[in-house]
Amino acid sequence: MGTIFPPHSLSPLLNIKPSPSRILLSPSLQPKSNSLFCSKPIVSSLKKNQTSSLKPSPCTSWLAHAQQGLAALAISLALNFSPLLFSGNALASEFDVLNEGPPKDSYVVDDAGVLSRVTRSDLKRLLSDLESRKNFHINFITVRKLTSKADAFEYADQVLERWYPSVEEGNDKGIVVLVTSQKEGAVTGGPAFVQAVGENILDATVSENLPVLATDEKYNEAIFSTAKRLAAAIDGLPDPGGPTFKDNKRESNFKTKEETEEKRGQFTLVVGGLLVIAFVVPMAQYYAYVSKK
């Protein structure tokens, strides 16, 4: 039999008390909790918009990169066109050599930076002794390249005219120029200097000592051997001579015609022998195999 519960016993389970929040009201009278709840996304969207507005625009970013590039370019140009800020005479140009005048404490202007301290010392000892005895002053100049003049001779004449403007000043002066990039040199001087040295020695130093040794990048030997040759000529001593292009000739990597013909004959014999072996040996092996059967 089933148990029958009285109606009031089910009221706690079925009759749920409605809470005040469940009361249905008209839209105009409903509480504004929903509107307050929806205000949070609005606020967050405003924050997002504000944050995005703070980010740099593509135009601003492009301008910033352009300013950085211009600043880097300006620094690079300043470094390239202001060499004197770093090493002074070590990076002097051919124009600086002209404007600075002859060296006061030495006989060398090593703009190319190829002369050693020993060579400088030997030149000073040799040339100072020559000047004290014969009253001839010789200056040696090395430059990396020439941009204002076509060759070393024009530049040497320009140096002589700029350093010693009058004939009296440059009468007993000599100028020796070595251009390292072009592997050439020049010797010039006043009338007394040219007469004391002689045309033959002047031509010999320009065609032998300076270019031959400079070709092998023996710049110290090129300068000092030229100085000794000029000093010997002024003193009236025998010419010590200089290197020649024949002595300086480098061995060629190309074979002569005779060597090529000889190698070709040897190659023909080797190839012919290999071809004979390639044909004869397999045939002999085949003949031996057939004869056994």
Side-chain angles (χ1 to χ4, degrees):
M1 293 179 62
T3 304
I4 300 174
F5 294 95
H8 63 274
S9 63
L10 297 174
S11 60
L13 300 174
L14 298 177
N15 297 331
I16 302 173
K17 293 181 180 182
S19 61
S21 62
R22 300 293 182 177
I23 299 175
L24 297 178
L25 299 176
S26 62
S28 61
L29 297 177
Q30 287 182 356
K32 297 182 180 180
S33 59
N34 292 335
S35 64
L36 294 175
F37 177 78
C38 295
S39 64
K40 292 181 179 180
I42 295 174
V43 173
S44 62
S45 64
L46 290 176
K47 291 181 178 180
K48 291 180 179 179
N49 292 335
Q50 293 176 358
T51 305
S52 62
S53 64
L54 295 177
K55 294 181 179 180
S57 63
C59 182
T60 305
S61 177
W62 182 85
L63 289 176
H65 287 295
Q67 292 175 354
Q68 294 177 358
L70 291 175
L73 179 61
I75 294 174
S76 177
L77 292 175
L79 293 177
N80 290 331
F81 290 97
S82 301
L84 296 180
L85 295 177
F86 294 94
S87 57
N89 295 332
L91 295 178
S93 66
E94 55 186 296
F95 305 102
D96 296 322
V97 173
L98 290 171
N99 296 329
E100 290 177 359
K104 298 179 180 180
D105 299 331
S106 66
Y107 298 83
V108 180
V109 178
D110 187 20
D111 171 63
V114 295
L115 300 182
S116 64
R117 183 178 300 178
V118 175
T119 302
R120 290 170 175 267
S121 177
D122 292 341
L123 282 173
K124 186 175 182 179
R125 184 181 65 255
L126 175 65
L127 298 176
S128 61
D129 177 70
L130 178 66
E131 185 176 12
S132 63
R133 292 185 295 101
K134 298 294 184 177
N135 199 28
F136 285 101
H137 185 95
I138 307 176
N139 292 305
F140 285 80
I141 303 171
T142 66
V143 293
R144 292 181 293 274
K145 61 181 180 179
L146 296 177
T147 57
S148 62
K149 297 298 179 181
D151 55 26
F153 290 96
E154 293 185 12
Y155 183 69
D157 291 335
Q158 186 181 17
V159 172
L160 181 65
E161 294 175 0
R162 179 69 65 87
W163 286 5
Y164 310 105
S166 63
V167 179
E168 292 76 12
E169 292 178 339
N171 185 41
D172 52 359
K173 304 298 190 301
I175 300 293
V176 180
V177 174
L178 175 63
V179 185
T180 58
S181 63
Q182 301 174 6
K183 312 299 183 185
E184 66 175 7
V187 180
T188 188
F193 173 80
V194 173
Q195 183 178 2
V197 175
E199 294 290 342
N200 294 333
I201 300 299
L202 291 176
D203 294 338
T205 55
V206 172
S207 60
E208 297 174 2
N209 298 76
L210 294 175
V212 173
L213 295 172
T215 302
D216 284 341
E217 298 185 355
K218 298 178 180 180
Y219 304 116
N220 291 275
E221 185 177 352
I223 292 295
F224 191 65
S225 64
T226 300
K228 291 191 298 182
R229 201 167 187 179
L230 294 175
I234 294 174
D235 286 331
L237 300 176
D239 181 23
T244 61
F245 281 104
K246 183 178 180 180
D247 298 335
N248 191 58
K249 184 178 178 181
R250 297 180 180 179
E251 295 182 359
S252 175
N253 294 328
F254 300 98
K255 298 183 181 298
T256 62
K257 183 178 180 180
E258 292 77 10
E259 293 176 348
T260 304
E261 293 295 336
E262 182 181 357
K263 294 293 183 181
R264 184 180 298 175
Q266 296 177 358
F267 178 76
T268 303
L269 292 175
V270 172
V271 173
L274 292 176
L275 289 176
V276 170
I277 294 174
F279 282 99
V280 173
V281 172
M283 292 177 65
Q285 291 179 348
Y286 178 75
Y287 177 76
Y289 176 75
V290 173
S291 62
K292 288 181 179 180
K293 289 185 177 182

